[in-house]
């Protein structure tokens, strides 16, 4: 069970900020002003456009996760916005810092103004602008409804609370604490972490922290390696920020679960467990291989990067059976999981969706790997990382043209698509060639060499 399974369960059945006073991050000092800004500046411009899609809906909002063409309308996933905060802080400029603070304050607003709960949780996603749903029902509000509550993403069922999403939101608030010194961000991060401790800690044989709750507040039985990796990073950062030893103990609990998922004969981490007793051995996902290195920095487990680079490597081009890559172009990277490599290319990924390309490149995961390689810095790592980043930058240049956010054109050649071609993750959902806040933010973290999971 992956963090993203909660996303796919609802999305598969269907085919911010109002911050106009905040400028798009400017060119860094020393950049040459050319007709086409450098790739990283275009990435930051996309994040700005994703925040500014609905300027008439008030000053508090989140960034829309995907372009309008993805069919998720104005959905803003908590996870994507957390990564956007981290990428904006990685830029170092004042305009980006102001945007990061605005997103952080929007996450705090969601925490304090949930329509049903006052316990520190965040939902999987929110709506940030108006639209008419597929059944004809109108969704007229922005992120903040007229009654002051936040606009939870009920149309797609994005109402649950996943530990991974919560951990990343708290990591972004911890980063804002370090950058700004504002105690409100630390208080919000601690509220999130305490929610995780109360609602997800388990004493099952494999231990760790479980998946979270669904929209009806029922606890989910799964325990995710990825979630516990996220908590290793979060709890370690809270230990550093607060000096409270309780966070070190909680970090050890999450780390112990991750260690139990290690497969020494293959040099990789399994995805987790459904029952707290039996390890799921298939599929094997990418993010557990790369994020584990970013969070643990363990030389004894660093082979997981080689496993991902070798066993999940893909090369997508127009010759592939279900590829949507234009003729003459090719993209290199990694796919989502071992299951994506054997997806049924004769069947749609989900109802009303296209058939998958087994060699579709997952650009967010490709950025994970590039950053982790740069942090490991073994022989050949920098060269491979540079090659992967170059592939992502080509995708930003050439894929996803003509897409919009809030029905507005995007800055030219700005934003990275989530996948080069339709991609079946093997976890019940897919990724598609739509420009994506999360993929763009991870590209920027890799380009800036910023590890968000380090203490």
């Amino acid at each position: 069970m992956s963090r993203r399974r909660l996303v796919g369960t609802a999305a598969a059945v269907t085919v911010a900020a109002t911050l106009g006073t905040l400028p798009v991050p400017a060119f860094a000092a020393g950049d040459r002003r050319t007709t086409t800004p450098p790739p990283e500046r275009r990435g930051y411009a996309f994040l700005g456009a994703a925040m500014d899609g609905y300027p008439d809906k008030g000053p508090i909002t989140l960034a829309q996760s995907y372009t309008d063409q993805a069919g998720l309308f104005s959905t803003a996933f908590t996870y994507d916005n957390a990564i956007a905060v981290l990428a904006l802080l990685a830029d170092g400029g004042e305009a980006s810092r102001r945007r990061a603070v605005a997103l952080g304050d929007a996450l705090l607003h969601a925490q304090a103004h949930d329509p049903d709960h006052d316990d520190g949780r965040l939902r999987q996603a929110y709506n940030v602008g108006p639209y008419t749903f597929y059944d004809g029902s109108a969704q007229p509000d922005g992120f903040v409804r007229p009654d002051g509550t936040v606009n939870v993403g009920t149309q797609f069922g994005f109402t649950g609370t996943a530990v991974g999403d919560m951990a990343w939101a708290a990591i972004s608030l911890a980063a804002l604490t370090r950058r700004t010194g504002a105690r409100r961000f630390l208080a919000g991060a601690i509220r999130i972490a305490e929610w995780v401790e109360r609602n997800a800690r388990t004493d099952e044989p494999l231990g760790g922290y479980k998946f979270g709750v669904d929209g009806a507040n029922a606890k989910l039985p799964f325990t995710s390696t990825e979630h516990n990796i996220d908590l290793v990073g979060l709890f370690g950062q809270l230990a550093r920020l607060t000096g409270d030893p309780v966070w070190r103990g909680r970090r050890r609990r999450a780390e112990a679960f991750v260690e139990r998922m290690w497969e020494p004969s293959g040099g990789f981490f399994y995805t987790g467990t459904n029952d707290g007793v039996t390890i799921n051995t298939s599929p094997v996902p990418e993010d557990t291989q790369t994020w584990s290195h970013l969070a643990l920095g363990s030389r004894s487990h660093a082979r997981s990067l080689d496993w991902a680079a070798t066993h999940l490597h893909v090369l997508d081009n127009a010759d592939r059976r279900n590829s949507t890559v234009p003729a003459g172009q090719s993209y290199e990277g990694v796919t989502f999981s071992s299951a994506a490599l054997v997806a049924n290319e004769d069947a749609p990924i989900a109802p009303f969706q296209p058939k998958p390309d087994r060699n579709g490149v997952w650009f967010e995961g490709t950025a994970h790997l590039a950053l982790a390689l740069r942090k490991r810095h073994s022989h050949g790592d920098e060269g491979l990382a540079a090659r992967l980043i170059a592939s992502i930058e080509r995708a930003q240049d050439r894929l996803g043209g003509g897409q919009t956010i809030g029905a507005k054109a995007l800055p030219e050649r700005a934003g990275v698509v989530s996948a080069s071609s339709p991609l079946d993750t093997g976890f019940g959902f897919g990724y598609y060639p739509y420009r994506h806040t999360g993929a763009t933010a991870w590209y920027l973290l890799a380009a800036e060499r910023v590890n968000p999971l380090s203490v």
Side-chain angles (χ1 to χ4, degrees), residues 3 164 167-168 171 226-234 291 453:
R3 168 182 56 77
W168 278 107
I171 287 168
E226 180 225 305
H227 286 191
N228 281 270
I229 291 169
D230 306 340
L231 293 175
V232 168
L234 170 60
W291 290 4
L453 288 168

Side-chain angles (χ1 to χ4, degrees), residues 4 283 335-340 343 349 362 423-431:
R4 298 172 183 84
T335 191
F336 189 89
S337 74
S338 57
I349 296 170
W362 184 40
L423 183 162
D424 187 340
T425 64
F427 286 84
F429 65 100
Y431 282 107

Side-chain angles (χ1 to χ4, degrees), residues 230-306:
D230 306 340
L231 293 175
V232 168
L234 170 60
F235 292 155
Q237 291 176 21
L238 289 181
R240 174 69 63 87
L241 284 168
T242 66
D244 188 339
V246 70
W247 300 114
R248 290 196 294 274
R250 292 171 182 178
R251 184 184 191 276
R252 286 192 294 270
R253 165 174 284 273
E255 184 174 351
F257 178 85
V258 175
E259 293 275 2
R260 294 184 184 108
M261 297 300 111
W262 176 247
E263 175 49 69
S265 64
F268 61 85
F269 290 91
Y270 289 117
T271 189
T273 175
N274 285 347
D275 58 10
V277 177
T278 305
I279 295 174
N280 291 347
T281 58
S282 181
V284 179
E286 176 278 331
D287 48 16
T288 60
Q289 318 314 321
T290 51
W291 290 4
S292 57
H293 187 73
L294 294 174
L296 300 174
S298 169
R299 302 302 298 183
S300 61
H301 298 94
R303 289 184 294 148
S304 65
L305 303 188
D306 302 317

Side-chain angles (χ1 to χ4, degrees), residues 114-129:
D114 189 277
D116 303 307
H117 303 281
D118 185 22
D119 59 1
R121 78 179 65 190
L122 295 168
R123 305 302 186 101
Q124 185 184 13
Y126 302 90
N127 300 311
V128 293

Side-chain angles (χ1 to χ4, degrees), residues 189-252:
I190 290 173
R191 285 193 77 197
I192 286 173
E194 293 289 6
W195 186 96
V196 171
E197 178 69 16
R198 290 193 308 272
N199 292 277
R201 180 180 173 127
T202 176
D203 292 318
E204 292 170 340
L206 289 173
Y209 291 84
K210 299 189 78 65
F211 197 92
V213 300
D214 64 16
N217 207 37
K219 291 187 177 181
L220 296 167
F222 324 106
T223 311
S224 163
T225 307
E226 180 225 305
H227 286 191
N228 281 270
I229 291 169
D230 306 340
L231 293 175
V232 168
L234 170 60
F235 292 155
Q237 291 176 21
L238 289 181
R240 174 69 63 87
L241 284 168
T242 66
D244 188 339
V246 70
W247 300 114
R248 290 196 294 274
R250 292 171 182 178
R251 184 184 191 276
R252 286 192 294 270

